[in-house]
Amino acid sequence: MKINHLNLTVTDVRAAQRFLETYFGLVPVGARGDNFVVLFDDDRFVLTLMKGKEVSYPKTFHVGFPQKNEEAVNEMNRRLKEDGYEVTEPVHAHGYTFYVKAPGGYTIEVCY
């Protein structure tokens, strides 16, 4: 069985949407103003973003985006860093991975 969709509550829907489109290739397929957007990934997984005034995820909550190899992880890390995002350095842990705080109040893990 596959998971179909995930809803994230974020403080800024448009900023979160731009981030996910720019770095992870998600494609918007519907929206309701600045309060709600529906995004698809390459496998048609549905990620919805919903506006919330106060967003508080548990410290360890994150959303993972796998890459095709370690070089792709390093490239994503470099790109995010150059664009002004605070990223951790990639490490070999449960794979090759790093974390970045995404606009809107949640964390993303980029891994191989």
Side-chain angles (χ1 to χ4, degrees):
M1 185 176 296
K2 289 176 51 172
I3 189 168
N4 173 269
H5 72 276
L6 173 69
N7 179 75
L8 295 176
T9 301
V10 297
T11 55
D12 186 332
V13 170
R14 292 299 175 200
Q17 175 186 348
R18 284 189 300 275
F19 182 81
L20 292 165
E21 286 180 55
T22 301
Y23 298 102
F24 301 102
L26 273 67
V27 178
V29 294
R32 279 190 227 125
D34 291 333
N35 295 317
F36 180 79
V37 68
V38 178
L39 302 161
F40 279 178
D41 74 359
D42 294 341
D43 293 325
R44 297 190 53 86
F45 174 81
V46 179
L47 178 63
T48 59
L49 304 173
M50 189 175 289
K51 173 99 172 157
K53 291 182 183 182
E54 294 182 30
V55 175
S56 178
Y57 287 101
K59 184 177 180 176
T60 58
F61 177 85
H62 61 278
V63 178
F65 284 91
Q67 304 300 300
K68 62 184 174 183
N69 54 40
E70 288 187 12
E71 186 176 299
V73 171
N74 288 332
E75 174 61 20
M76 183 69 74
N77 186 274
R78 181 198 61 75
R79 193 170 156 211
L80 286 162
K81 200 179 297 181
E82 284 182 359
D83 289 348
Y85 292 96
E86 287 187 37
V87 297
T88 63
E89 289 300 316
V91 296
H92 289 96
H94 54 283
Y96 189 61
T97 185
F98 73 89
Y99 296 88
V100 58
K101 190 76 165 181
Y106 62 100
T107 300
I108 287 181
E109 178 181 11
V110 178
C111 56
Y112 167 71

